[in-house]
Amino acid sequence: MMLSKLKEWFFPRSSSKQKIYSLIDTFGCTECPPQDCPTFIVRKVHRKFQNALQSYNIIVVYGESRQGKTWSIERYCPVQLRIGCTANMSFEQIKIAMLHAIDKEIRVVEHTVTDAYTKEGGVSGTIGTQLTLTAGLSTSTGHAHKEVTSTTYPTIDLSNTPEFLEILRSGSEGKYFVFDNFHYLSPNIQQQFCAMLKEFNYQGIKVIIVGVWKDASRITALAPDLVNRCEHIDIGSWSKTELDEVIKKGELALNIHIDDYTKDLFKSCCANNIGIFKDFVQKYCQKFNVIETQKIKKELCDRDSADQVAEEVVTEAFSPLHDRFINLALPQRDTRKSKYMRQKIIVTVLQIIIESEMSYVQNGIPLSLIKSRVDTLCDELHEEKIGISNLTQELGVLHQREENRQTDMNFISLFYFDKANKKLLILEPTIYEIKGYKVRLLVDIMNELKESLLSKKACTAQLTF
C-alpha cells in the first residue's frame, strides 16, 4: 500500500493522454492548413481581415509568396467558393468556373422543328414529336417534302450580363468567391475581370482576390471605380518575435528543444518569410528523425546539421533562380543594334540587392537609384546612357519579360515595378533567402551577366572594325 502511494506521488498519472502532432502539421507549409495546426498564431493582419469580411464585398489579399495568404483565408473564411486561376484561363472560363462553384452547369439544348409538304399544297408539321398536324388537302396523295429546322441554345447565356449576375448572386449568398493565384492570369484577363468588380459589388456578390504583388493599388488601378469600395490586406512579413513564437509552439507540440544557434541561423536566412522558415526547421527536425511528437523530450542541437540544412535549402533554390535571372536578362533574339537595356537593368538591380541591407530592398528599390547605377554601368562600358523614359518603360513591363517561359505556365514574376511609388518590388522570396545565407551566389549571377555584356561589346567592336 505504502509503495503504491509513493509511486503515485512521484509519478502522477496524466489526466489526459499526450496529443500526437505530425512534423508536417507542425512545421509543414502545405497548400491547405491542417485543421489543428499547433504553430498557427493570430497576427494583427488576421484581425484586419476578419473586420474586412464584415464590411466589404470586395477584398484583396496580397503579399509575398509563402507568407500565409491562403492559410489566413482558409482559417477565417471557411465557407468559400474557391477558384484556382491559371495562366491560360480566358475570361469566359473564369465565368464558367464561377458557375461551377455554385453547382450551375451550362447545358446546350437542341430544339428541332420538322415541316412536311405535299405536291398538292397540303402541309403537316411535327414539332419535337411524331404528332402530325394536318392542314388543307389530304396527305395521302402526291409526293411529300420535309424541311427540318434545328436550333441550339445554352441554358445560361454568358453574354447576358444581368442574367449571369443574378445567377451568381442567388447561388453564392453568404459566401465569398476566392480567386487564388490571381497573378497567374494574363494582364488582359485581369483587366477584363476587374471591369466586372463594380457590378459584383453592386449586386452583393462577394469576392476575395489573392495575389503576390506588393503594391496596394494594383486592383484599383485596373478598376478605378473601386477606390474606397474595397479593402486591401497586405499579409506582410513576419517579425522575429512572431517567428520565435512559431518555433516555441512547435517545440512544445513535438516535445523537442532546438538550440539557439540553429534558431538564429534560420531566422537570419529566411528573410522574415514564414514558409522559408518552416522549411528550414522541418528539414532540421528530419535530420534527427523527428516525424511526430516525441515520447521523451529530445534535444536537437548540432551546428553541422544546421549548416548542412541551410546549405541544402539554398542550393535547391539557387539553380532555378539562376536560370530565371538569365532568361529575364537575355532576349531570345540578339540583334547587332541592341543596347542590351534589360541586361544592364538586371545587372544593376542585382548589384543593389547584393550591396544593400535586407530591410532596404524589401521595401522596394527606388527608380532614382536604379537610374544612377545604370548610368554608372553605361559609363564603365563607354556607352550612351539610357534615358529615364526608356528605363521607366522597360521596368514597367519587366514582370512580363522572362523569355523562355511557355505562355500557358503558371508564373510568378521576379520583379514588379510600382509606377505610383516609382519602386521596383522583389516578388520572389528565394532572392532574400540566398542573400541571407550565401550572397556570393547572387554575385556569381551578376558577374556572369556583366561578363556577357563585356563580351558582346568586344564582338560589336570587332565587327565595326
Side-chain angles (χ1 to χ4, degrees), residues 137-268:
L137 300 175
S138 170
T139 59
S140 60
T141 59
H143 300 286
H145 172 69
K146 291 184 178 181
E147 289 185 1
V148 179
T149 304
S150 296
T151 57
T152 58
Y153 57 89
T155 53
I156 301 173
D157 184 2
L158 293 178
S159 64
N160 187 334
T161 300
E163 177 190 354
F164 174 69
L165 291 174
E166 175 56 28
I167 293 171
L168 290 184
R169 187 197 63 76
S170 60
S172 64
E173 192 169 353
K175 300 176 184 177
Y176 273 90
F177 285 101
V178 176
F179 289 87
D180 204 4
N181 296 318
F182 191 77
H183 49 271
Y184 286 155
L185 298 174
S186 70
N188 181 47
I189 301 303
Q190 290 184 30
Q191 179 75 65
Q192 289 184 58
F193 179 82
C194 288
M196 289 284 292
L197 288 176
K198 182 181 178 182
E199 286 300 323
F200 287 162
N201 186 50
Y202 181 77
Q203 296 287 341
I205 299 169
K206 299 176 181 292
V207 171
I208 298 175
I209 295 174
V210 188
V212 299
W213 55 85
K214 288 187 176 182
D215 53 318
S217 61
R218 171 73 73 89
I219 296 301
T220 48
L222 297 174
D225 291 332
L226 285 179
V227 173
N228 299 324
R229 295 178 180 174
C230 67
E231 180 68 298
H232 292 81
I233 308 291
D234 181 0
I235 202 67
S237 298
W238 289 61
S239 68
K240 291 289 192 292
T241 302
E242 288 173 327
L243 295 177
D244 283 334
E245 187 176 350
V246 167
I247 204 164
K248 183 178 179 181
K249 284 176 172 286
E251 286 176 314
L252 288 172
L254 296 175
N255 197 23
I256 60 175
H257 176 259
I258 299 174
D259 64 287
D260 290 339
Y261 172 83
T262 300
K263 293 176 185 177
D264 292 339
L265 174 64
F266 294 165
K267 282 187 290 184
S268 67

Side-chain angles (χ1 to χ4, degrees), residues 38-53:
T39 53
F40 186 92
I41 65 172
V42 179
R43 306 172 68 212
K44 289 182 180 178
V45 69
H46 293 154
R47 288 190 282 272
K48 184 178 180 182
F49 179 63
Q50 286 178 287
N51 292 335
L53 290 172

Side-chain angles (χ1 to χ4, degrees), residues 194-346:
C194 288
M196 289 284 292
L197 288 176
K198 182 181 178 182
E199 286 300 323
F200 287 162
N201 186 50
Y202 181 77
Q203 296 287 341
I205 299 169
K206 299 176 181 292
V207 171
I208 298 175
I209 295 174
V210 188
V212 299
W213 55 85
K214 288 187 176 182
D215 53 318
S217 61
R218 171 73 73 89
I219 296 301
T220 48
L222 297 174
D225 291 332
L226 285 179
V227 173
N228 299 324
R229 295 178 180 174
C230 67
E231 180 68 298
H232 292 81
I233 308 291
D234 181 0
I235 202 67
S237 298
W238 289 61
S239 68
K240 291 289 192 292
T241 302
E242 288 173 327
L243 295 177
D244 283 334
E245 187 176 350
V246 167
I247 204 164
K248 183 178 179 181
K249 284 176 172 286
E251 286 176 314
L252 288 172
L254 296 175
N255 197 23
I256 60 175
H257 176 259
I258 299 174
D259 64 287
D260 290 339
Y261 172 83
T262 300
K263 293 176 185 177
D264 292 339
L265 174 64
F266 294 165
K267 282 187 290 184
S268 67
C269 293
C270 75
N272 303 108
N273 184 293
I274 186 62
I276 296 174
F277 181 68
K278 281 190 167 185
D279 194 24
F280 279 122
V281 179
Q282 184 180 4
K283 284 181 168 61
Y284 184 68
C285 290
Q286 289 169 344
K287 292 286 184 183
F288 295 86
N289 296 317
V290 174
I291 59 172
E292 63 178 17
T293 303
Q294 302 296 288
K295 293 180 180 179
I296 302 173
K297 191 166 187 176
K298 192 168 188 176
E299 290 288 332
L300 278 56
C301 178
D302 182 40
R303 290 193 173 198
D304 289 341
S305 293
D307 292 336
Q308 188 179 6
V309 166
E311 186 74 29
E312 288 173 357
V313 172
V314 170
T315 301
E316 183 181 348
F318 173 71
S319 181
L321 184 67
H322 166 273
D323 293 344
R324 292 190 64 190
F325 267 114
I326 301 303
N327 290 343
L328 176 59
L330 304 179
Q332 285 183 325
R333 296 180 181 179
D334 202 356
T335 62
R336 288 178 59 184
K337 294 183 179 180
S338 175
K339 295 182 179 179
Y340 308 109
M341 187 192 314
R342 199 188 322 157
Q343 190 169 348
K344 292 171 185 174
I345 291 172
I346 299 305

